[in-house]
Every structure is written in structure tokens, then in C-alpha cells.
Amino acid sequence: MTIAARDFRELRLEGMSRRFGNVNALRDVNLSVKRGEFIALLGPSGCGKSTALNCLAGLLTLTSGSIWLDSARIDRLKPEERGFGMVFQNYALFPHMSVRRNVGFGLVMRGMDKAEIDRKVSEALSIVRLGDQGDKLPGQLSGGQQQRVAIARAIVIEPPLVLMDEPLSNLDAKLRLEMRAEIRRIHELIGSATIYVTHDQEEALSLADRIVVMRDGVVRQVGTPQQLYAQPAYSDVAEFMGYRNQIRSRVSAAGSISIGGGAFQGTPIGPLSSGDVVVAVRPDDLRAAADGPLAITVESAQYHGRDFYCSGRTADATELYFVSVHPLQKGETVRLAADPKRVLIYPGAPS
């Protein structure tokens, strides 16, 4: 194989900011990305992740800050001068061009020799496992195949960095799972760095070496999937990482906290002072148990294949989401328990 990412050591974002009128879409983003790293930008709609990607690509200019590739400042370069590969959410394929011509378009624009273009296009199509589809038009391919064409077009120029903007959002559940594995395989094969935008925390956890959680244009936390899953640094990060239960409480003199009238032990995240705290628990960590400290009345139970995903209310009307291995009926009362390591306690009120 001859297709490989252009060599570099580090991409650096230094104080990267972007303003639209009075709105700060990005504020002082600092991040270092090593060659070969897979970085996921994760957050809800409007958090700034796609704006960050477009600034990296050169599709948006910075209001302030800079972008560096090793010792070269690149935020002042045109998009085509940066040499990055881009995979868009809607594929952005030319419908009138064959698959081969779509993949080779960037090489043609660079004035490369035709024989070399043919060789590189054939190799890129082989990497994405579409070697026999080159003469078809995009409209003759499935959604998953079109996404592979878009990836082949991005990697054929041998970029140091591949940028992906929610590339799987238009695919069905089965294809999304398949393409996750393919994207990671291709990333490792060509050795580029990848920056991947998604609002799906499961996608980020399964693909990334590090996850960058964003909110309101600000980076809230950067960490490995294991770090973000087990101990989010802030309650709002926890909420986005699947800690759907967020309960206002107070720490007792004995160090316990109350959830819906039941006393639980938890794990403090950072120093706690007297006053209000926020307790965060994942639904799958709050489970039915005969000797659980909390009684709850079931309001709904949805079958998710292995478990039942349930909601209910406590005696003080606190709404909670939990998991049961057994079917439950509306109006039924069950008791809940949780491992103290999985009950996270944050200082202050929910942000």
C-alpha cells in the first residue's frame, strides 16, 4: 500500500475563537492532536463542534487565535492549501460523475499525472472495499457505499488530517455500526489524525482515542473514553455522557446523600462544601433490588432487548430513570439501589 498520511507530529489549536455578530460560537479553544490520534468532538446541537471543524478546514475564518501544523501556521491558508481530507454529513458527491472521478477529483485539481491518479484512485477504492464499483454513479450506490466513496475521496490526497462532520447520521442503525468499524480500520491503516464531529456519545466512546466535550462554544472536558464514561468532571458533562438522572440534594453529616427520600453513598467529584450538590446516576447503574434504599412507583417500562428501561417517581415526586432485568407494570412499586462508585456527587446546583 502506498497511500499514507502526510507526516507531521502535532496539530495545535491555540485560543481558536469564532464570533458571529454578538454570538461567540467558539471561545478560546486550545487542543493538541498527535499524528495517528482519533479525536471526537462531542456535544449537543449548537455547542460549536461543527464550527470548530469548519475553522480547521478553512471554510470559516477565525475571529482570534491560531492553528498550527508543527511549526507552520495554517489558519491563514486557503482550504485547498491546508491539504486536509473532509467527509461531510451529506457525502457531497458529484451526482453526474462516476465513483472513480469523484474519488480522483482532488488529485485532478492538483494537476497530478493521469496514470498516477488512476493508481491512487484504485488503491483508495480498494481500501474502502469498493474496488468493483468505480464505474457506477453515486445514485446507483447504497448510503453506506456513498459514505465509503466520500471517505476514499478524503484519503486519496494523503492528508495529515481527516475531518469528519457527523458522517454516519444519515445511515440506518446496522450500517452505522458497520461503518464505525470501517472508519476506525481506515484511520489506523493510513496513519492520519482524525477529528470526528458527533452528538452521539456511544459513537464517540467506541471510536475515539480522546473525546472533547463542548458546550456553548467552550471545551468543557478532554479525556479518554474511559475517563469521560466513568468520571465526568462536571455535572453538565455527566448529563451528556448518559447520566440522565440529575438530582439536587445535600450531603448529610454522615456523608450520605438523599435521592427521593432514600439514603445513598456516592463518589464526590472534586471537593464538596456544605450546601447543595448535584447527584448524577446513569439509568443502567440504578437497578431494581429487593433491599434497595429507595422505593419508586413505575410509570413506564420499555423493552430494550436484554433489559427494561424504566421511569418512575418517588414519594416526593422525584422522576428517575432506571433499569430492570424483569418486566414491570405501571403503578408497581419497586426498590432501587446503586453502587456508590457509580453515584457521582458534584458541588453546586445543576448548570
Side-chain angles (χ1 to χ4, degrees):
M1 188 191 84
T2 58
I3 287 182
R6 193 173 86 227
D7 193 28
F8 77 103
R9 295 184 304 279
E10 183 181 54
L11 172 79
R12 297 192 314 280
L13 314 182
E14 297 184 352
M16 187 171 76
S17 301
R18 171 69 194 195
R19 179 190 293 270
F20 295 97
N22 294 324
V23 177
N24 288 309
L26 286 179
R27 289 183 285 169
D28 198 28
V29 174
N30 295 281
L31 182 68
S32 176
V33 180
K34 304 294 185 184
R35 186 179 191 270
E37 267 199 298
F38 197 117
I39 302 293
L41 302 184
L42 177 67
S45 296
C47 73
K49 56 189 186 293
S50 290
T51 299
L53 203 75
N54 287 330
C55 287
L56 272 170
L59 302 176
L60 288 173
T61 58
L62 302 186
T63 303
S64 61
S66 57
I67 304 172
W68 299 80
L69 195 64
D70 292 333
S71 61
R73 183 171 179 176
I74 64 171
D75 55 278
R76 295 166 178 167
L77 299 179
K78 297 176 182 177
E80 63 271 18
E81 294 171 337
R82 303 186 188 194
F84 296 163
M86 185 84 179
V87 181
F88 297 94
Q89 181 177 349
N90 62 354
Y91 318 139
L93 301 176
F94 297 111
H96 63 289
M97 289 186 181
S98 69
V99 166
R100 291 189 66 86
R101 288 182 63 200
N102 266 284
V103 173
F105 183 79
L107 301 178
V108 172
M109 292 297 99
R110 295 180 177 199
M112 189 174 288
D113 174 77
K114 184 178 185 304
E116 182 70 359
I117 291 174
D118 289 342
R119 183 186 66 78
K120 285 185 176 292
V121 168
S122 293
E123 185 174 348
L125 288 175
S126 177
I127 288 172
V128 300
R129 298 174 179 171
L130 287 178
D132 58 347
Q133 305 293 320
D135 295 327
K136 291 185 177 180
L137 295 173
Q140 296 174 298
L141 303 178
S142 68
Q145 288 174 321
Q146 290 183 50
Q147 191 57 275
R148 289 171 189 262
V149 175
I151 293 171
R153 182 181 57 191
I155 66 173
V156 76
I157 61 173
E158 300 179 289
L161 183 68
V162 176
L163 307 173
M164 296 190 169
D165 192 2
E166 305 209 42
L168 306 184
S169 60
N170 291 332
L171 304 180
D172 62 37
K174 179 175 180 293
L175 274 177
R176 283 200 301 272
L177 288 175
E178 292 175 0
M179 286 304 300
R180 274 190 216 167
E182 280 297 282
I183 286 171
R184 185 69 207 199
R185 177 185 68 83
I186 293 165
H187 163 84
E188 293 173 353
L189 188 64
I190 68 173
S192 67
T194 299
I195 296 184
Y196 185 102
V197 163
T198 181
H199 64 273
D200 186 328
Q201 53 114 341
E202 184 179 329
E203 210 169 84
L205 289 169
S206 65
L207 280 171
D209 298 313
R210 287 190 297 153
I211 298 172
V212 179
V213 180
M214 300 186 66
R215 179 184 180 188
D216 297 332
V218 175
V219 173
R220 293 292 283 158
Q221 187 176 354
V222 181
T224 66
Q226 294 84 354
Q227 290 168 337
L228 268 294
Y229 185 89
Q231 287 206 337
Y234 304 98
S235 61
D236 61 291
V237 176
E239 185 175 23
F240 201 77
M241 293 306 299
Y243 289 78
R244 189 174 182 186
N245 295 306
Q246 301 245 333
I247 307 105
R248 294 172 185 252
S249 187
R250 296 180 70 88
V251 180
S252 72
S256 67
I257 44 91
S258 174
I259 300 178
F264 286 77
Q265 296 297 316
T267 300
I269 306 299
L272 300 178
S273 58
S274 59
D276 292 335
V277 295
V278 177
V279 182
V281 190
R282 289 177 176 275
D284 50 342
D285 289 324
L286 193 60
R287 288 183 169 263
D291 58 350
L294 174 63
I296 190 168
T297 302
V298 177
E299 292 191 338
S300 70
Q302 301 172 0
Y303 182 55
H304 279 202
R306 184 177 60 184
D307 298 319
F308 290 84
Y309 190 92
C310 311
S311 68
R313 290 191 183 273
T314 63
D316 66 359
T318 300
E319 184 178 28
L320 293 173
Y321 300 91
F322 63 100
V323 169
S324 172
V325 295
H326 305 294
L328 299 174
Q329 301 299 316
K330 182 177 180 179
E332 185 176 351
T333 298
V334 296
R335 303 198 72 85
L336 302 178
D339 184 335
K341 293 180 180 178
R342 307 302 303 142
V343 179
L344 307 186
I345 308 172
Y346 294 90
S351 54

